[in-house]
């Protein structure tokens, strides 16, 4: 009789443990439209996309990162983490050796099938719009067992800061037509890109229509014909601009209405992630006239 009771208790304990394991499992749909099962609480993460690295940290989960791609450089706390290649050339061996519970990567990156074949859990996400930033943040939060309420709180802070940047732009600075160069091929950011969305929220125009796609390759003559009021570009691309046919004679170049950003600022501007509010502030500062700079800077700092 006693042995029978022990057997029943043992069976109940095993059943309870099994039920707990099932309860912990989570199924998420990523941007490949693949259903990804998170079988156990995530403690070790490899992130192979800077915006996803930043999202993990914005959700307060930086300590779970055990490896990142070569371009992830924010926040400073990740500086000493192992670098595991990039989107087009992930270091498969290094990622596997890190024994991650979860690999975060872009849908356009290589290696997802190989990682899965080696038994790793892969969540492929690629935010391309403001709405995507919020959506991806929610999915990552779910994967890391962070509450939806916390994810939404982080998003509201970002969105409110973008609105504050927009309100800081004086009326006379709105409506200016911008050419935003992403890379020197040249590729630009159109109205349909997340950068274009930010410019629109700031009240700026964009010489590149949405019909060209988010980040189209541009014939330099297109920009000359469009005659933008402002050019936004990274330092590394700026030097090349003066050698392009007709560019030296553009009004925007003659009047020096070109904002060229430092490399660390360019990183902020071209990543669809939790530092989108900082990107909005950088663009707002560019849009305003120099005479209004001190007044707008006070607003951005929250001063009266």
């Amino acid at each position: 009789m006693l042995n029978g009771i022990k057997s029943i208790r043992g069976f109940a304990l095993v059943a309870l443990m099994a039920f707990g394991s099932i309860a912990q499992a989570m199924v998420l749909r990523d941007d490949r439209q693949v259903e990804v099962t998170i079988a156990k609480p995530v403690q070790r993460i490899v992130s192979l996309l800077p915006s996803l690295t930043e999202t993990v940290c914005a959700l307060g989960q930086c300590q779970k990162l055990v490896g990142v791609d070569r371009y992830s450089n924010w926040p400073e706390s990740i500086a000493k983490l192992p670098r595991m290649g990039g989107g087009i050339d992930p270091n498969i061996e290094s990622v596997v050796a890190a024994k991650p519970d979860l690999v975060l990567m872009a849908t356009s990156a290589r290696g997802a099938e190989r990682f899965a074949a080696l038994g790793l859990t892969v969540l492929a996400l690629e935010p391309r719009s403001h709405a995507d930033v919020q959506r991806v943040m929610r999915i990552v939060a779910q994967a890391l067992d962070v509450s939806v309420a916390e994810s939404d709180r982080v998003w509201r802070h970002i969105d409110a800061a973008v609105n504050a940047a927009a309100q800081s732009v004086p009326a006379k600075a709105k409506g200016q037509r911008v050419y935003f160069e992403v890379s020197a091929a040249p590729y630009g950011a159109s109205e349909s890109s997340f950068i274009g969305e930010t410019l629109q929220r700031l009240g700026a125009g964009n010489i590149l229509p949405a019909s060209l796609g988010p980040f189209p390759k541009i014939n330099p003559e297109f920009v000359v014909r469009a005659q933008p009021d402002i050019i936004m570009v990274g330092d590394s691309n700026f030097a090349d601009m003066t050698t392009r046919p007709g560019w030296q004679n553009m009004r925007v170049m003659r009047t020096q209405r070109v904002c060229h950003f430092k490399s660390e600022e360019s990183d902020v501007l071209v990543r669809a992630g939790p530092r989108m509010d900082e990107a909005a502030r950088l663009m707002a500062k560019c849009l305003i006239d120099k005479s209004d700079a001190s007044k707008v800077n006070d607003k951005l700092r929250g001063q009266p």
Side-chain angles (χ1 to χ4, degrees), residues 71 179-187 231-244 247 258-270:
Y71 303 108
Y179 168 61
F180 190 110
E181 184 162 300
V182 177
S183 64
Y187 287 88
I231 290 176
M232 299 185 186
V233 61
D235 269 345
S236 59
N237 297 355
F238 175 66
D240 172 63
M241 284 186 164
T242 57
T243 65
R244 298 173 188 172
W247 279 53
V258 179
C259 296
H260 40 100
F261 301 101
K262 300 174 183 177
S263 60
E264 59 268 24
E265 293 173 330
S266 293
D267 287 342
V268 173
L269 289 161
V270 300

Side-chain angles (χ1 to χ4, degrees), residues 44-49 53 64-72 78-105 109-111 115 120:
R44 297 177 64 82
I45 306 165
V46 168
S47 174
L48 298 176
L49 184 68
T53 302
K64 294 181 179 178
L65 289 166
V66 295
V68 293
D69 67 287
R70 69 170 65 91
Y71 303 108
S72 288
I78 70 164
K80 295 182 180 180
L81 286 175
R83 304 289 145 168
M84 300 184 173
I88 62 172
D89 60 345
N91 188 320
I92 304 290
E93 293 77 11
S94 294
V95 174
V96 173
K99 298 180 180 179
D101 302 315
L102 181 64
V103 178
L104 296 172
M105 60 193 305
R110 298 174 183 172
F115 289 139
L120 299 182

